[in-house]
Amino acid sequence: MAGKPLRILACGDVEGKFDMLFNRVQAVQKKSGEFDLLLCVGNFFGSIPETEWEEYRTSAKKAPIPTYVLGANNPETVHYFPDVNGCELAENITYLGRKGIFSGTSGLQIAYLSGTESLSEPAPAYSFSSKDVSELKISLLSTPKFKGVDILLTSPWPRGVGNFGNKPGEMDTQRCGSVLISNLATSLKPRYHFAALEKTYYERLPYRNHVVLQENAQHVSRFIALANVGNTSKKKYLYAFSILPMRSMDPAELVKQPQDVTENPYQKSGKEAHKPKMISGAEEEPACQFFFDLSKQHGKKRPSDGKGGQHSQLKQPKKIHQPTGPCWFCLSSPDVEKHLVVSIGTHCYLALAKGGLSNDHVLILPIGHYQSVVELSSEAMEEIDKYKSALKKFFRSKGKRYVLFERNYRSQHLQLQVIPVPLNCCATEDIKESFILQAQEQEIELLEIPEHSDIKLHSQGHLIFTLNWILERSFFIELRKNFPCNLEGKCWRVKPF
């Protein structure tokens, strides 16, 4: 039987402002009721005079709630933490230690790692090394039936945490943060991960800990970065939440996927490779994207040259592709019909369709020679998204919306076909029904994948057909021979727009 959820407060850099923090905690408890724990990440001590701390150290003052803190992040504050294994610093204030697991009587598991990333071994007292991360991972991963931890506490951010999710303002998550912590989060799969040091507040969208259609559904993770106590910008530094320990939860309830869940941001930096494992669609959260599987014999005709496999597919985007013959769509080609070009960007361009399905049928194409969206760089994909956003606004001003598709079949060059349709002559469900009906007539199986899913995880290097329509609902078809090249045209005849 599930127990009572724990009510927890998490705090960013305190920087020695103990009175300000604990007064705020008391105000929160007076308004919202008692909390069980206060967890502090980032710099607990600061450069201000020690007078305030002395009052807590000597018990002249007392923290109003059991408080657990991480260790030093710089050489100036190392002396406050006399025992690397953790110790009581003052009444109701406990230093967790350099690294480890804190388990309460409720069954709540809190993994923690103190300090900032060090590039040398052994790491100084205010840093951690790859060895520290490995030891912490092994201590948990060796546990039978390990699913993850409830909470992970680190001071630095994980590198790349903004991938696939909402952006943290002006912070560049590709440059700031620790790669070691990204790897740690990938392995420990925390339900909540708290960090600080960057003096800003950022609550990332929840992300998956499994590969859709390849692994069984797992719980999601939430990353929250907290600002510094008493910051003049009034950025959030105290975060309140309730949590039921993982081991007390019903498994089905634990793996529920929220509507705004995204891909795992660390999938490129994590050391653990995901091995394909198909699961039934019933195990996934209902969403707005779909996967068509025409055959169980994918890759049958691929050459067995010893260079295949998942790893070579992941490296494929780095290759420079050259057309096997004249290409009508490479912008540098003499065969391209430049009078149809509408706009040219850095990586992509926009052109009118020759013989389009409607008068305002347009194409989004890469300037270089790429066969599919799965081969494009992140910069090119960002530019495509900008073109899509601009077209959406333009067609909306004309009383229209668009359907977008890519057919990576019998074509050397990626073409994103954008077909506008009147707003008042067809409903979203009519568009969906048209493609589903045609898919059924062609004996194409429809499987469901969640929203925010990265198509690169599902294509596995095969030829694809993708479809995206209003409200960002999408189809995905993995192609083999005899795919009906006029599928999209048939759908237009089924539901005339």
Side-chain angles (χ1 to χ4, degrees):
M1 182 177 178
K4 183 180 178 182
L6 293 168
R7 305 184 72 222
I8 298 177
L9 292 170
C11 179
D13 303 274
V14 180
E15 297 180 334
K17 299 177 182 177
F18 309 112
D19 286 345
M20 185 176 292
L21 168 63
F22 293 135
N23 288 340
R24 176 62 179 157
V25 169
Q26 287 179 317
V28 170
Q29 292 199 122
K30 185 176 180 180
K31 180 179 179 180
S32 304
E34 296 295 314
F35 282 80
D36 298 290
L37 300 172
L38 170 61
L39 306 174
C40 296
V41 294
N43 293 313
F44 189 67
F45 294 98
S47 57
I48 61 177
E50 298 184 10
T51 307
E52 198 170 302
W53 171 243
E54 278 298 304
E55 293 182 304
Y56 289 92
R57 191 183 67 81
T58 59
S59 299
K61 290 183 179 179
K62 175 185 174 182
I65 181 175
T67 302
Y68 296 86
V69 308
L70 293 181
N73 297 297
N74 52 66
E76 292 75 24
T77 56
V78 169
H79 68 279
Y80 287 108
F81 306 96
D83 188 345
V84 295
N85 296 315
C87 58
E88 185 178 77
L89 302 179
E91 188 175 359
N92 249 8
I93 301 177
T94 302
Y95 164 47
L96 287 167
R98 187 161 182 169
K99 65 179 183 294
I101 307 296
F102 175 81
S103 298
T105 56
S106 63
L108 187 76
Q109 273 201 324
I110 302 174
Y112 56 89
L113 181 65
S114 293
T116 55
E117 181 175 336
S118 172
L119 300 179
S120 61
E121 290 276 6
Y126 54 88
S127 297
F128 58 84
S129 65
S130 58
K131 181 181 178 182
D132 293 317
V133 172
S134 296
E135 289 175 353
L136 180 55
K137 287 164 60 174
I138 291 171
S139 67
L140 280 163
L141 297 179
S142 60
T143 305
K145 298 181 179 180
F146 176 76
K147 294 181 180 179
V149 297
D150 293 299
I151 299 171
L152 172 62
L153 304 178
T154 64
S155 288
W157 291 28
R159 178 78 59 85
V161 68
N163 294 336
F164 307 119
N166 51 315
K167 302 302 180 184
E170 297 180 356
M171 288 286 299
D172 184 356
T173 59
Q174 296 298 331
R175 295 178 180 272
C176 80
S178 164
V179 173
L180 289 179
I181 290 179
S182 299
N183 293 336
L184 182 65
T186 301
S187 297
L188 300 194
K189 304 174 184 177
R191 293 166 64 199
Y192 285 88
H193 180 182
F194 293 97
L197 295 184
E198 301 297 340
K199 300 187 182 302
T200 191
Y201 170 71
Y202 170 53
E203 183 170 4
R204 192 202 184 279
L205 292 173
Y207 63 85
R208 302 183 187 96
N209 284 301
H210 64 279
V211 179
V212 177
L213 295 178
Q214 295 183 22
E215 296 177 325
N216 292 327
Q218 299 181 42
H219 62 272
V220 301
S221 291
R222 291 173 168 85
F223 173 78
I224 298 103
L226 296 165
N228 50 309
V229 172
N231 65 88
T232 55
S233 301
K234 297 185 178 180
K235 294 178 180 178
K236 189 170 185 176
Y237 65 82
L238 197 62
Y239 186 92
F241 66 107
S242 295
I243 185 170
L244 189 64
M246 187 183 299
R247 64 178 61 180
S248 302
M249 291 188 67
D250 176 73
E253 189 70 24
L254 177 65
V255 302
K256 277 188 175 180
Q257 308 290 296
Q259 289 283 342
D260 56 351
V261 68
T262 76
E263 295 291 354
N264 191 308
Y266 318 123
Q267 58 188 18
K268 293 181 181 179
S269 59
K271 300 287 186 181
E272 294 74 21
H274 297 292
K275 297 181 179 180
K277 181 173 63 174
M278 297 300 292
I279 63 172
S280 67
E283 295 180 37
E284 298 299 327
E285 177 75 8
C288 303
Q289 300 184 59
F290 300 88
F291 172 88
F292 287 96
D293 189 349
L294 275 68
S295 171
K296 304 299 182 184
Q297 304 176 17
H298 302 312
K300 184 177 180 181
K301 294 186 178 180
R302 294 173 67 198
S304 178
D305 57 2
K307 298 179 181 179
Q310 184 179 1
H311 296 289
S312 60
Q313 291 170 14
L314 292 175
K315 295 178 181 178
Q316 196 170 4
K318 297 181 181 179
K319 295 181 180 178
I320 299 176
H321 297 269
Q322 297 294 335
T324 56
C327 180
W328 297 343
F329 302 106
C330 285
L331 198 56
S332 61
S333 170
D335 297 300
V336 69
E337 300 192 46
K338 292 185 171 63
H339 67 284
L340 296 175
V341 175
V342 176
S343 168
I344 301 176
T346 305
H347 305 281
C348 307
Y349 70 99
L350 186 71
L352 293 171
K354 186 176 181 181
L357 293 173
S358 64
N359 292 333
D360 41 8
H361 177 174
V362 294
L363 309 177
I364 305 174
L365 308 105
I367 292 173
H369 192 78
Y370 296 93
Q371 190 174 6
S372 169
V373 291
V374 300
E375 298 177 349
L376 293 180
S377 66
S378 59
E379 293 81 8
M381 287 301 300
E382 287 179 8
E383 193 164 279
I384 284 177
D385 288 338
K386 289 179 180 178
Y387 269 121
K388 288 167 61 179
S389 178
L391 287 170
K392 182 177 180 180
K393 291 179 182 178
F394 171 74
F395 288 132
R396 178 71 63 172
S397 71
K398 303 296 182 183
K400 298 180 180 182
R401 49 189 174 183
Y402 68 71
V403 176
L404 181 148
F405 67 85
E406 171 200 4
R407 187 186 68 238
N408 175 16
Y409 184 64
R410 296 183 183 177
S411 173
Q412 295 186 51
H413 197 110
L414 164 63
Q415 305 158 49
L416 290 176
Q417 312 274 348
V418 184
I419 322 293
V421 295
L423 279 168
N424 58 1
C425 75
C426 60
T428 298
E429 291 304 315
D430 291 335
I431 299 174
K432 174 181 176 180
E433 181 183 343
S434 297
F435 280 91
I436 290 177
L437 180 60
Q438 284 302 316
Q440 290 173 343
E441 290 185 6
Q442 299 295 330
E443 297 183 349
I444 299 172
E445 184 181 6
L446 174 64
L447 299 175
E448 193 170 354
I449 62 175
E451 190 180 4
H452 302 297
S453 183
D454 184 6
I455 195 171
K456 294 181 182 181
L457 296 180
H458 309 294
S459 64
Q460 298 296 314
H462 299 298
L463 299 175
I464 60 172
F465 174 90
T466 62
L467 169 70
N468 182 282
W469 75 91
I470 304 95
L471 302 180
E472 297 301 316
R473 299 186 177 181
S474 304
F475 286 103
F476 169 62
I477 304 175
E478 193 168 292
L479 304 183
R480 292 179 68 243
K481 65 179 181 179
N482 302 325
F483 176 77
C485 290
N486 61 340
L487 175 64
E488 58 274 6
K490 290 182 179 181
C491 293
W492 257 247
R493 291 194 293 274
V494 171
K495 290 286 182 183
F497 300 140

